[in-house]
Amino acid sequence: MKVRLLLALILFVTFAPLGLRAQGYSTQTSNAILIQNATILTITHGNIEHGSILIRDGKIAAVGTEVKASDGATVIDAQGQYVMPGIIDCHSHIAVDGSVNEGSISVSSMANIADVLNPDDISIYDDLSGGVTTANILHGSANPIGGQTIVIKLRWGKPASELPFQGALPGIKFALGENPKRSNFSPPPGVEPRYPATRMGVEETIREAFIEAREYKKQWDDYNRKKAAGDQNLLPPRRNEKLEPLVEVMEGKRYVHAHSYRADEILMLIRVANEFGFKVRTFQHVLEGYKIADEIAASGAGGSTFSDWWAYKMEAFDAIPYNAALMTERGVVVSVNSDDAEEARHLNQEAAKSMKYGGLSANDALKLVTLNPAIQLGIDNRVGSIEVGKDADLAIFNRDPLSVYAVVQKTLIDGQVYFDREKDIAARPALEKEKQDLLAKEKKASEEKKASEKPDANPEKKPDQKKKHPQNSEDNAGAVAEGGR
Amino acid sequence: MNKALRLRVARYQAVALLLLLLSTFPLWSQRAANLYAIKNAKIYTLAGPPIERGVVVIRDGKIAAVGTDIAVPEGAQVIDAAGLEVYPGMFDPVTQIGLNEVGEVSATVDTNELGDFNPELIAATAVNPASAHIPVTRASGITEVISAPGVGGFDSQSSGIIAGQASAFNLAGWTMEEMQINPSVAMVLNWPSIQTSSFDFSTLSMKEKPYEDAKKEYDKAVNQLSDWLTRARHYAQAKEKGSPDLFVRDLKLEALVPVVEGKLPVLVVADQARDIRNAIDFCTKQNIKMILASGAESWKVKDVLKEKKIPVVLGPSERLPEQEDTAYDKPMTQPSELNAAGIQFAFSSFGTSFSRRLPQYAGTAVGYGLSHDEALKAVMLNAAQIFGLADQLGTIESGKLANLIVTTGDPLEIQTEVRYLFIKGQLTSTDNRHKDLYQQYRKRPAPAR
Amino acid sequence: MRDRFKFRPVCAVVVGLSIAGLIGSVFSARGDRSGPPYFAVVNARIVTGSGPVIDRGTVVIAKGLIQAVGANLTVPPEAWVIDGKGLTVYPGLIDAGTDLGLPKEESSETTSTGPGRRRAAPSGEIAKSPEDRPGSSPWRVAADELKSDDKRIETWRNAGFTTTLSVPDGGIFPGQATVIDLAGDRSGDYVVKGMASLPISFKPIGAWWGFPDSLMGTIAYVRQVFDDSHWYAQAEPIYESNVTKFERLPYDRTERVIARGVRDNEIVLLPANNSVQIMRALRLADEWKIKAVLYGGQQGYQVAGAIAAKKMPVLVNLKWPERAKDADPDAEQTLRELRFRDRAPSSPAALAKAGVKIAFYSGGLSTPKDIFKNAKKAVDAGLPPDAALRAFTVDAAEILGLGDRMGSIAQGKIANLMVTDGDLFNEKTKVKHVFVDGRWFEVHEEPPAEKPGDHKADSAPSSQPKHSASEEGVGR
């Protein structure tokens, strides 16, 4: 009996995971996975040829050439393939329900991306296919102070509550320059333009909001102090959803991600941040960052930029593809981001461009989309490199990811395979069939409906017996059915 | 004279002769400026197998000779390309280079004229030879482009039905006269689509329209298009055979004459399968030559494209699929699919600032199944063939225009640099705005604390 | 001639009144209050909704309430008897979300961006902050704006609906929904519960230049309103007892009304149709600590367990998603849409199976015929018929907080009944009688546009026994 049970258990453990893998990506019973025989790009400890990674309970348990699988571990043979940390996209607008901008007012910090996460957005899957595992989902750039932002892991198939990156600090989006001042479009006739219309106004909007926030914090601190001291009859201040995130910024509990282009506006925000006692966490786009790289480095802010976008607006006209490399040279922590669901599918290629434009080494180029964005988002203790103890967020490529020819084979998050190219291809016929079947079913139903809606040859017109007429019923007034009296 | 004096005179004469010769040096370098020899290079001619170690001679703007046993001519500027590779320059056949400087600044944008039917407009008229995009783009190895009005791209909307004529030109020259390859290589036709939803600017939201109404508008547009071609035919006949007294010149119809005579192809911009089919139907009935541009759903209509021998100039292979249910990698695998089906195609960027991504688009397609050889052809040669310029461009063969790149390696790989750039047989600097700004700010001293 | 008229002493009065009443009942939407207040439906199959089905029983109605129901009842002598042989009595149906009886919304002129947009702010003013209270008029109560001449009231009633939740539309807080019974002399008669629930819409009304113009902005606005209401509830008593200590509180109608609603545990209706919206609404209901009910629920099949875990009731929109009639026939349909359209009708079954309390609402369906057709789709997709009936009756009443007084046929409950000649979900079934608050309505198959001669023919005793008056259940 016990032997049979043991046998059953062994069989189950051995075969069940294979069966489930064949079905879908995100279900796994075995919690141990071994990725073997790959070139491992650890980012922090060099590259390992013919190496293996053991994953247990969603974390990297071991990395090296001598790593062996425990019994029951699912084995992914990555012979000839490259494993790098899952790509982290520091500027993304995917997975948002509705508009990414609450652009109606100059300060929209009450709006929160976390309220509107959409786990069904196909862009999540698209980005997984490019090896992205974590994304910084940002509010748009319609206002000097925009809405609150959140870091998510691209756990495709899970509900919205399981997307947020646990433990990552929340953020807030600021925007400087042309977008918040709306220089590139005008409101429809009859509608008043929204403040601000100049870079001066952008600064003023931010300063005023923080002055208000300071005042708000003081009110609450006073109230709390008095209350703790036992004061009775205190009128509590109102809660203000707009100002609270700004208080959190000043208290260092919320990161500021500032969309910015021109060198002078970047310096402006550093000044303003200083005035209110906080640090900008990242400058986003920061296309002229190379002009003031030293100042940015000194401020401690990171720079999250494009690889080679330029000239689409005036403030992008001085953008250069050497931006990432030059800022890196001067000590800024730099990441390369997508700002676009499609661009996010090839951030490995975008990172590689900094080898050509500015001579970054291969590892430094990879850092632009792994460790550096992790540092910028304050999650480098969890992700961004392949090290024991970190989350098993990995991207497996068929060749060196810095090559234009590299194609993602698998993407894992917390040790679960969320994207598998082979499985995706294999699943296509079944999905197509399901679609055709549903279309045929609908077509049939609509044809049946049309047929039944044709006017009847014999309308169901029962004889007048069923008709009740008021006058008629008076004759029958007081009728008693059987069983009545 | 005595011996000593004769010796001194001879010395003075020698010096004078030397000085005379030296004074003609500028003439030497002028001649030398038109004559180059690239030696010790691995040469990918695209007209045969690569030459492991060979020489290319460039003279007066053309490729004079290419091969292994070629002597370096005297007076040639020699480039030792040991360790480097030589390729034909890349050709981006759908761009807005020169027509669009800064997307959001309308004063710098000349891509979209008002009105739906503008066949007489020619891109070359408005191309700015001093555009910053030109040096930036050629530094990445693109030596010639076609600029097309009204096609839309990253930072512009497509506009008009017949938007004008696309022009091919080299990415070097002081004026369009110097740059021009052919001012009219195709007539841009944005195929009208049945628009059931459109963006309403007064409410900044999507507005839905019933299909029947949208179909009527579409039919109307197609009928108008058909009318234009019909009138162009009449015009052609009137011009050729009619009485000069009764002839009234019409620039628009005149511009359409080469189209209806089958001499000028229409560059049809369409992405959805239905639009492509309708366009092909239309062009077949009208008996005009069609080139499909963008073609995101070409894979759905391979049979027709093959049958009618319609070449495809693909938009960026790095894009999202047209439909949610289409395979995630379809845009990247499509080139190899078309190739396998025997459909002629080329890569293009549809951009200005993104034109330098052309090799990246091709490289990505290789990653997803296209052969490397075919990819090279699709960025260097096929566009020339499609637009009737293959006699001048696309391969490294004697007699062709000397548009060449000498690279540090595989031109499709991201890290590869263009070391030497030849356009119209001139060694062209790869300096550009970006390099300049980089060098300038690299030199910025540390700020005072 | 069988003399069925038992009330000889008052027959003259009764006849006179009934002529008036009957004529009235044909042409007006009001019930016959001029008739006797006692009715008894006898010999009928009674589906009580609160116990086993009574195969042959009697329901006695008087003074607007069900006086008694059972198998062997004594019918009071005052009662006008309706022979229920071959008929079934159900509780009157409840449509848990309509705009029956409410005036049509006029869109505001200047910045109209679509139907049903209302601004609490004077028209033309654009909200620049939450304090401008965009799209907020929670003080509006549907009960105060009832238009009892809405023709649909009769249409719904003739189909067996006795009760609707009439919901104002337009804006984020459009106003409070009212439960009405579909009969009355004055509009006030209709109202069962005036401030029955507080519907919320998350549709951004700002259209880019007015706050809020995004879903997240709208949610943030609602959050702020709850914050403000909570503050007001705290602050008001403190201020009132210390008027010389504090600056006086500004008057903000929205926060006061919401504060009262929260205090009274008024049901808040949260929009939640697809699974993402449902999960979001569950989370927000927790965060805002409100007594919530979800409306929409059409992707309940995906998240039934999560809804059940929160014990959240759901009003299910019976207007199942379908392809737009004027859609592009070549347009690509996504697998996602196809799956949704295919599975939506199975949501009620999935929700019921998981133990979620559901009610149905017509959600834009324009005729009761469509309501039943779509309810049948839910039954065909696995919802047990008795569960479907509950969703129209007893569960709907309970969700709306009126389970103590309507939704089932039990003594003391409001006399809202429908009497049919067959099973409720059978297409061929006809409604014969409807009682609303004890008012009796006969349901005529066609509009009574008869020629004068017809009556006499009908009233001839030569009408076949099969269709004798006893079967017709005439009791007047």
Side-chain angles (χ1 to χ4, degrees):
Chain A
M1 188 57 204
K2 270 198 184 149
V3 173
R4 248 193 276 177
L5 204 61
L6 188 60
L7 192 62
L9 191 65
I10 291 172
L11 283 171
F12 174 75
V13 164
T14 316
F15 288 104
L18 295 174
L20 287 168
R21 264 175 66 204
Q23 271 173 30
Y25 329 125
S26 51
T27 46
Q28 233 148 345
T29 51
S30 166
N31 65 33
I33 299 153
L34 180 75
I35 303 174
Q36 66 183 22
N37 279 335
T39 302
I40 303 173
L41 310 174
T42 67
I43 306 296
T44 43
H45 293 85
N47 301 343
I48 303 173
E49 310 274 328
H50 309 296
S52 299
I53 302 171
L54 179 65
I55 299 167
R56 199 180 285 122
D57 295 328
K59 301 265 186 209
I60 297 169
V63 187
T65 44
E66 305 300 318
V67 175
K68 293 283 180 281
S70 43
D71 285 342
T74 308
V75 175
I76 297 177
D77 185 23
Q79 173 99 36
Q81 298 181 337
Y82 285 66
V83 186
M84 64 175 277
I87 292 177
I88 298 169
D89 186 356
C90 204
H91 192 122
S92 175
H93 298 297
I94 63 171
V96 172
D97 209 347
S99 172
V100 304
N101 269 312
E102 178 50 59
S104 55
I105 47 184
S106 313
V107 177
S108 62
S109 40
M110 74 287 281
N112 192 342
I113 290 279
D115 278 337
V116 292
L117 284 178
N118 178 8
D120 289 350
D121 182 5
I122 193 72
S123 298
I124 297 177
Y125 187 75
D126 282 331
D127 289 2
L128 280 168
S129 79
V132 181
T133 52
T134 293
N136 188 19
I137 309 298
L138 296 177
H139 182 280
S141 52
N143 350 48
I145 296 182
Q148 302 164 50
T149 69
I150 188 170
V151 180
I152 65 169
K153 286 206 187 188
L154 306 195
R155 298 180 179 111
W156 178 244
K158 298 275 193 279
S161 57
E162 290 183 45
L163 295 185
F165 192 115
Q166 309 91 326
L169 276 193
I172 186 169
K173 179 81 176 293
F174 287 13
L176 313 177
E178 288 177 32
N179 287 12
K181 76 182 177 99
R182 304 210 150 156
S183 47
N184 296 322
F185 44 86
S186 28
V191 177
E192 231 180 84
R194 185 208 73 188
Y195 188 87
T198 65
R199 286 185 163 84
M200 302 179 290
V202 170
E203 191 224 29
E204 200 259 354
T205 305
I206 298 173
R207 291 189 67 234
E208 236 190 61
F210 274 95
I211 289 170
E212 253 190 88
R214 237 191 219 162
E215 184 53 43
Y216 175 77
K217 177 171 154 57
K218 182 167 177 300
Q219 276 178 10
W220 273 99
D221 285 346
D222 282 350
Y223 170 77
N224 287 328
R225 204 178 3 98
K226 287 185 187 150
K227 192 152 173 245
D231 259 13
Q232 304 293 332
N233 300 325
L234 290 171
L235 196 63
R238 285 178 184 270
R239 282 199 63 184
N240 187 320
E241 299 286 349
K242 180 180 86 170
L243 297 176
E244 281 186 14
L246 303 182
V247 172
E248 288 168 350
V249 166
M250 290 191 286
E251 292 175 346
K253 296 178 185 151
R254 184 176 289 276
Y255 288 149
V256 171
H257 300 295
H259 155 123
S260 49
Y261 281 77
R262 278 238 306 254
D264 53 295
E265 67 199 11
I266 295 167
L267 292 175
M268 175 279 283
L269 192 60
I270 295 176
R271 269 196 318 270
V272 170
N274 267 338
E275 182 187 343
F276 293 95
F278 68 92
K279 287 193 186 312
V280 174
R281 186 72 186 178
T282 66
F283 284 101
Q284 297 279 335
H285 310 318
V286 66
L287 295 191
E288 287 193 5
Y290 65 93
K291 297 185 180 180
I292 43 159
D294 293 328
E295 284 89 343
I296 297 177
S299 80
S304 190
T305 188
F306 291 130
S307 57
D308 64 357
W309 298 28
W310 74 291
Y312 46 101
K313 8 181 210 174
M314 207 54 228
E315 58 192 3
F317 200 54
D318 275 8
I320 58 177
Y322 304 87
N323 194 26
L326 225 179
M327 287 200 291
T328 301
E329 228 174 80
R330 295 290 234 254
V332 180
V333 175
V334 179
S335 65
V336 164
N337 67 44
S338 75
D339 196 5
D340 175 61
E342 198 291 313
E343 183 90 343
R345 306 214 285 173
H346 46 87
L347 282 173
N348 55 311
Q349 295 177 346
E350 304 315 311
K353 288 178 184 174
S354 289
M355 294 170 69
K356 173 178 179 180
Y357 294 112
L360 284 192
S361 71
N363 205 50
D364 281 347
L366 282 175
K367 272 196 196 157
L368 297 173
V369 293
T370 54
L371 189 59
N372 288 359
I375 293 171
Q376 291 173 343
L377 298 173
I379 51 179
D380 52 304
N381 58 330
R382 295 269 304 275
V383 290
S385 58
I386 300 181
E387 296 182 66
V388 171
K390 284 203 173 179
D391 294 358
D393 291 2
L394 305 165
I396 305 180
F397 285 79
N398 61 348
R399 21 197 319 172
D400 185 342
L402 294 171
S403 161
V404 74
Y405 305 118
V407 172
V408 174
Q409 305 301 303
K410 291 187 179 62
T411 307
L412 291 87
I413 299 177
D414 302 322
Q416 255 181 260
V417 178
Y418 279 88
F419 169 78
D420 185 320
R421 178 168 164 74
E422 263 176 33
K423 290 218 170 86
D424 178 289
I425 293 171
R428 289 173 196 177
L431 290 171
E432 184 56 34
K433 177 168 189 309
E434 184 190 344
K435 188 168 180 176
Q436 294 308 319
D437 286 347
L438 284 172
L439 282 168
K441 192 176 173 192
E442 266 199 2
K443 187 157 180 232
K444 184 159 169 254
S446 98
E447 279 163 7
E448 279 169 7
K449 184 176 175 201
K450 281 207 188 84
S452 75
E453 273 170 2
K454 284 205 188 78
D456 279 331
N458 304 309
E460 204 193 271
K461 204 180 187 310
K462 298 265 175 358
D464 296 322
Q465 298 90 337
K466 288 258 175 139
K467 252 206 275 193
K468 274 347 283 165
H469 305 286
Q471 293 86 327
N472 190 30
S473 40
E474 86 172 290
D475 294 332
N476 301 314
V480 176
E482 308 87 322
R485 301 236 134 156
Chain B
M1 253 185 269
N2 64 11
K3 208 176 181 179
L5 190 56
R6 244 184 281 153
L7 213 58
R8 212 193 282 166
V9 168
R11 218 179 288 140
Y12 290 153
Q13 278 176 329
V15 170
L17 188 59
L18 189 62
L19 283 171
L20 186 61
L21 281 170
L22 283 173
S23 72
T24 64
F25 184 71
L27 294 169
W28 298 2
S29 50
Q30 245 179 1
R31 259 183 48 226
N34 290 335
L35 183 60
Y36 300 89
I38 307 169
K39 68 171 195 187
N40 281 335
K42 180 161 185 190
I43 306 169
Y44 289 80
T45 62
L46 294 203
I51 298 171
E52 281 305 317
R53 237 170 106 98
V55 176
V56 182
V57 176
I58 298 166
R59 183 183 281 119
D60 294 331
K62 297 224 162 77
I63 298 167
V66 53
T68 41
D69 284 316
I70 300 201
V72 174
E74 214 174 295
Q77 208 176 311
V78 176
I79 289 165
D80 187 348
L84 302 176
E85 300 177 5
V86 183
Y87 294 84
M90 290 188 268
F91 186 171
D92 191 351
V94 179
T95 74
Q96 291 146 27
I97 291 183
L99 294 177
N100 178 342
E101 198 66 12
V102 179
E104 298 272 16
V105 182
S106 60
T108 69
V109 179
D110 283 299
T111 52
N112 299 346
E113 186 48 85
L114 301 171
D116 277 338
F117 293 91
N118 291 308
E120 77 284 21
L121 302 183
I122 298 179
T125 316
V127 165
N128 181 2
S131 166
H133 291 278
I134 292 177
V136 165
T137 303
R138 71 187 180 211
S140 288
I142 293 146
T143 49
E144 65 272 2
V145 300
I146 293 174
S147 246
V151 292
F154 174 71
D155 49 8
S156 70
Q157 300 286 329
S158 76
S159 104
I161 297 176
I162 296 184
Q165 298 165 52
S167 311
F169 53 92
N170 293 305
L171 288 186
W174 296 94
T175 62
M176 181 46 80
E177 282 66 28
E178 291 182 8
M179 295 159 72
Q180 197 157 274
I181 297 174
N182 182 344
S184 178
V185 289
M187 183 69 73
V188 173
L189 171 50
N190 286 315
W191 188 256
S193 56
I194 302 174
Q195 295 244 318
T196 47
S197 63
S198 57
F199 195 69
D200 179 9
F201 278 96
S202 68
T203 58
L204 280 181
S205 58
M206 293 305 282
K207 262 204 146 126
E208 297 297 320
K209 195 186 293 181
Y211 171 73
E212 290 306 319
D213 294 351
K215 177 86 174 38
K216 282 204 189 87
E217 282 178 27
Y218 164 80
D219 287 337
K220 184 165 165 220
V222 175
N223 286 336
Q224 272 185 299
L225 183 58
S226 179
D227 280 345
W228 276 98
L229 296 179
T230 307
R231 284 193 289 143
R233 279 190 202 95
H234 287 307
Y235 185 85
Q237 196 172 335
K239 186 163 183 226
E240 192 190 340
K241 300 185 183 143
S243 153
D245 295 336
L246 298 170
F247 180 74
V248 177
R249 197 163 179 215
D250 183 321
L251 288 180
K252 285 190 199 272
L253 294 178
E254 205 160 285
L256 286 172
V257 167
V259 173
V260 298
E261 288 180 343
K263 295 181 187 141
L264 185 66
V266 280
L267 185 68
V268 177
V269 183
D271 277 319
Q272 310 244 317
R274 173 176 64 189
D275 292 340
I276 299 174
R277 277 194 204 280
N278 288 344
I280 295 175
D281 251 352
F282 180 85
C283 292
T284 308
K285 287 203 182 80
Q286 296 281 345
N287 206 13
I288 56 181
K289 197 156 165 293
M290 172 174 157
I291 301 170
L292 177 62
S294 193
E297 290 194 329
S298 305
W299 59 278
K300 284 187 180 170
V301 295
K302 275 187 296 204
D303 48 342
V304 194
L305 289 170
K306 178 81 204 277
E307 186 204 344
K308 306 280 183 199
K309 294 197 179 43
I310 292 170
V312 182
V313 179
L314 291 169
S317 57
E318 288 185 316
R319 64 198 288 178
L320 292 173
E322 279 295 288
Q323 311 291 351
E324 183 179 295
D325 290 338
T326 302
Y328 82 93
D329 59 351
K330 182 58 77 179
M332 292 88 87
T333 58
Q334 179 169 238
S336 69
E337 259 189 77
L338 297 180
N339 188 46
I343 294 165
Q344 189 184 31
F345 73 94
F347 290 109
S348 75
S349 70
F350 265 75
T352 44
S353 55
F354 283 118
S355 180
R356 61 180 164 190
R357 288 195 176 190
L358 191 68
Q360 182 182 354
Y361 298 144
T364 301
V366 171
Y368 281 87
L370 183 66
S371 81
H372 192 262
D373 277 350
E374 285 305 323
L376 283 182
K377 287 206 208 125
V379 292
M380 290 166 184
L381 172 60
N382 294 357
Q385 290 173 333
I386 291 170
F387 289 95
L389 301 167
D391 54 336
Q392 299 180 55
L393 294 163
T395 58
I396 304 184
E397 290 180 282
S398 162
K400 290 205 173 176
L401 207 56
N403 283 8
L404 306 171
I405 52 177
V406 183
T407 64
T408 55
D410 178 358
L412 303 185
E413 235 337 339
I414 294 169
Q415 295 84 350
T416 302
E417 284 172 43
V418 172
R419 275 289 158 75
Y420 302 98
L421 179 64
F422 284 90
I423 301 184
K424 277 179 77 175
Q426 290 293 315
L427 181 60
T428 309
S429 167
T430 55
D431 284 348
N432 59 69
R433 180 181 181 78
H434 297 175
K435 260 195 196 165
D436 294 345
L437 284 167
Y438 173 52
Q439 269 139 21
Q440 183 190 348
Y441 279 90
R442 210 149 177 239
K443 293 198 208 103
R444 186 195 162 194
R449 286 293 167 150
Chain C
M1 179 173 168
R2 285 186 280 168
D3 185 357
R4 295 186 191 94
F5 187 65
K6 301 273 184 183
F7 293 82
R8 285 184 199 88
V10 295
C11 83
V13 175
V14 168
V15 166
L17 286 173
S18 64
I19 290 171
L22 289 162
I23 293 169
S25 76
V26 172
F27 296 109
S28 85
R30 296 172 296 172
D32 184 1
R33 270 279 189 256
S34 59
Y38 264 98
F39 290 93
V41 181
V42 301
N43 235 352
R45 177 166 172 267
I46 305 175
V47 181
T48 62
S50 58
V53 171
I54 300 172
D55 285 324
R56 258 166 79 125
T58 300
V59 186
V60 179
I61 299 161
K63 298 185 179 136
L65 301 182
I66 295 167
Q67 296 296 333
V69 56
N72 293 310
L73 286 188
T74 322
V75 179
E78 308 84 5
W80 277 11
V81 176
I82 294 168
D83 186 358
K85 180 153 171 240
L87 303 182
T88 308
V89 185
Y90 291 99
L93 305 182
I94 301 173
D95 182 347
T98 75
D99 55 356
L100 247 63
L102 294 181
K104 281 258 174 290
E105 282 304 313
E106 296 128 23
S107 36
S108 64
E109 345 66 3
T110 47
T111 45
S112 163
T113 50
R117 302 240 163 165
R118 279 184 128 255
R119 309 268 160 93
S123 73
E125 230 177 76
I126 291 166
K128 298 225 166 67
S129 74
E131 286 108 58
D132 290 341
R133 301 296 186 222
S136 303
S137 46
W139 53 84
R140 279 179 75 208
V141 180
D144 297 332
E145 298 176 17
L146 279 182
K147 292 235 174 304
S148 54
D149 59 2
D150 186 340
K151 296 226 167 16
R152 294 176 297 169
I153 291 177
E154 185 178 351
T155 311
W156 254 243
R157 189 182 59 225
N158 285 347
F161 284 92
T162 57
T163 311
T164 68
L165 178 69
S166 289
V167 187
D169 185 34
I172 300 165
F173 291 99
Q176 295 172 64
T178 296
V179 177
I180 62 170
D181 275 354
L182 300 185
D185 298 316
R186 281 173 219 82
S187 53
D189 294 341
Y190 288 69
V191 177
V192 176
K193 188 171 180 185
M195 299 188 220
S197 76
L198 196 73
I200 295 181
S201 161
F202 284 155
K203 284 207 186 75
I205 62 164
W208 186 73
W209 51 85
F211 176 79
D213 78 337
S214 67
L215 174 62
M216 61 177 151
T218 310
I219 293 174
Y221 169 62
V222 172
R223 177 179 288 122
Q224 184 67 59
V225 166
F226 281 117
D227 283 345
D228 291 341
S229 313
H230 180 71
W231 173 85
Y232 177 74
Q234 275 187 293
E236 202 260 356
I238 297 174
Y239 171 73
E240 286 301 330
S241 36
N242 293 280
V243 291
T244 52
K245 196 172 170 199
F246 303 112
E247 207 179 319
R248 62 181 177 84
L249 304 186
Y251 177 76
D252 181 316
R253 203 168 174 191
T254 297
E255 72 191 10
R256 290 174 188 224
V257 169
I258 306 283
R260 182 209 51 75
V262 170
R263 180 200 68 204
D264 293 346
N265 244 342
E266 193 171 344
I267 304 161
V268 177
L269 301 182
L270 291 180
N273 206 35
N274 66 38
S275 56
V276 174
Q277 294 164 341
I278 291 171
M279 300 306 291
R280 179 178 300 138
L282 291 176
R283 186 173 53 82
L284 293 175
D286 264 353
E287 184 200 319
W288 295 336
K289 299 195 183 32
I290 49 178
K291 182 168 177 197
V293 168
L294 307 185
Y295 68 91
Q298 293 183 331
Q299 219 171 22
Y301 61 84
Q302 256 187 16
V303 287
I307 303 174
K310 293 288 180 189
K311 297 193 176 40
M312 178 76 66
V314 179
L315 307 182
V316 178
N317 185 344
L318 281 179
K319 188 168 188 211
W320 301 125
E322 56 180 22
R323 197 165 171 197
K325 301 263 182 314
D326 54 11
D328 186 341
D330 291 326
E332 182 85 2
Q333 318 241 20
T334 64
L335 183 55
R336 182 205 301 269
E337 279 164 3
L338 289 166
R339 280 177 178 160
F340 180 42
R341 298 205 290 254
D342 184 53
R343 289 177 207 179
S346 71
S347 275
L351 290 168
K353 187 154 173 234
V356 177
K357 193 169 274 183
I358 63 170
F360 287 137
Y361 70 99
S362 51
L365 291 173
S366 51
T367 66
K369 183 160 172 252
D370 288 336
I371 299 176
F372 290 121
K373 195 154 66 133
N374 283 13
K376 179 138 195 311
K377 283 199 184 134
V379 171
D380 291 341
L383 181 67
D386 57 290
L389 178 64
R390 278 203 305 277
F392 274 123
T393 56
V394 60
D395 285 352
E398 278 177 29
I399 293 173
L400 296 174
L402 297 168
D404 54 352
R405 67 200 83 169
M406 58 163 64
S408 59
I409 306 179
Q411 183 183 18
K413 290 214 168 166
I414 293 173
N416 285 354
L417 307 171
M418 71 184 287
V419 184
T420 65
D421 67 358
D423 179 80
L424 187 59
F425 293 110
N426 188 323
E427 242 173 46
K428 301 215 167 34
T429 296
K430 300 258 175 285
V431 178
K432 312 300 289 181
H433 309 273
V434 177
F435 287 89
V436 180
D437 285 300
R439 300 167 192 254
W440 173 52
F441 296 89
E442 280 184 284
V443 179
H444 305 284
E445 206 181 307
E446 279 125 307
E450 328 80 352
K451 293 164 221 113
D454 290 345
H455 296 311
K456 299 211 177 63
D458 283 332
S459 61
S462 60
S463 51
Q464 293 142 43
K466 193 173 178 217
H467 305 282
S468 66
S470 63
E471 194 187 19
E472 311 288 29
V474 177
R476 245 175 219 251

